[in-house]
Amino acid sequence: MAATAVRYLRSVGAATTAAPRARAEALPRPDLRAVRDDERPPVAPDEFRRVLGHFASGVTVITARDADGPTGFACQSFASLSLDPPLVSFMVARTSTTWPRIARAGTFCVNILGAGQDALCRGFAVSGADKFAGVAHEDAPATGSPLLGSVPAWIDCRIHAVHTGGDHLIVVGRVEALGAAEEGDPLLFHRGAFGRFSG
């Protein structure tokens, strides 16, 4: 049957083999170079911080548990990302000593802080100290990551993806469980200081 079809195609002058595909042109690589020591950055770091400080954000503590125990750090660069599937994200500095432990755990809990919990935030913002000393916590239901006592809301996640973002990493988490209190004002951070929402 196949031989008959080939004979017919040849008799009418049709091609019997696929034409070779044209090679696709490679797209130009994006310019991702860092600013060298002998170059002036396009925006001064102090001015960058000053202007971006006008954006008020909530405050969270990202926690995890690895073989060495509980770990965590204060984080204001948290955001919801996707409803379907349920994804959230946070950013962490590449120089963070806490991030490698969270990465090894593969899971984390976002503890959303409420008004009056600025001291708790400061405790998790320091480096090298026992951040969990005197801090009540329990295991989050899905991952076992530390769920801090008395936080108004929490989101229990598994690491879904990690992307590069300059001197930070963008961590995407898939939500496994979450919960929130019915009442409570958020802890806000604005222009280098903590505050609270006032209606």
Side-chain angles (χ1 to χ4, degrees):
M1 179 79 174
T4 304
V6 169
R7 280 195 300 272
Y8 170 76
L9 291 171
R10 284 180 178 158
S11 70
V12 295
T16 56
T17 58
R21 291 186 180 179
R23 293 188 71 170
E25 289 288 326
L27 294 175
R29 293 178 62 90
D31 186 6
L32 297 177
R33 67 181 178 81
V35 177
R36 295 191 299 264
D37 291 338
D38 62 344
E39 290 181 309
R40 181 170 172 263
V43 178
D46 289 344
E47 180 68 356
F48 184 87
R49 289 190 192 94
R50 186 188 73 79
V51 173
L52 271 292
H54 284 267
F55 180 70
S57 69
V59 186
T60 69
V61 171
I62 308 292
T63 59
R65 187 185 307 279
D66 67 358
D68 296 325
T71 189
F73 72 101
C75 176
Q76 67 183 93
S77 59
F78 165 77
S80 61
L81 181 61
S82 167
L83 187 62
D84 185 14
L87 302 175
V88 296
S89 67
F90 69 86
M91 276 64 83
V92 59
R94 289 173 179 260
T95 55
S96 168
T97 56
T98 303
W99 164 246
R101 296 184 60 189
I102 297 174
R104 282 195 299 269
T107 60
F108 63 90
C109 183
V110 181
N111 296 268
I112 298 176
L113 302 188
Q117 292 187 310
D118 43 307
L120 181 62
C121 179
R122 288 190 186 95
F124 278 89
V126 299
S127 180
D130 181 3
K131 301 176 185 180
F132 282 85
V135 176
H137 62 279
E138 59 184 289
D139 291 349
T143 71
S145 301
L147 169 54
L148 305 183
S150 73
V151 293
W154 53 272
I155 304 138
D156 196 12
C157 306
R158 298 190 185 280
I159 295 177
H160 180 74
V162 180
H163 306 284
T164 57
D167 57 8
H168 277 58
L169 297 172
I170 304 162
V171 182
V172 178
R174 185 170 183 125
V175 179
E176 301 288 339
L178 72 173
E182 292 299 319
E183 297 180 358
D185 292 330
L187 177 65
L188 299 178
F189 192 75
H190 178 247
R191 300 183 68 181
F194 293 108
R196 62 177 63 199
F197 180 80
S198 60

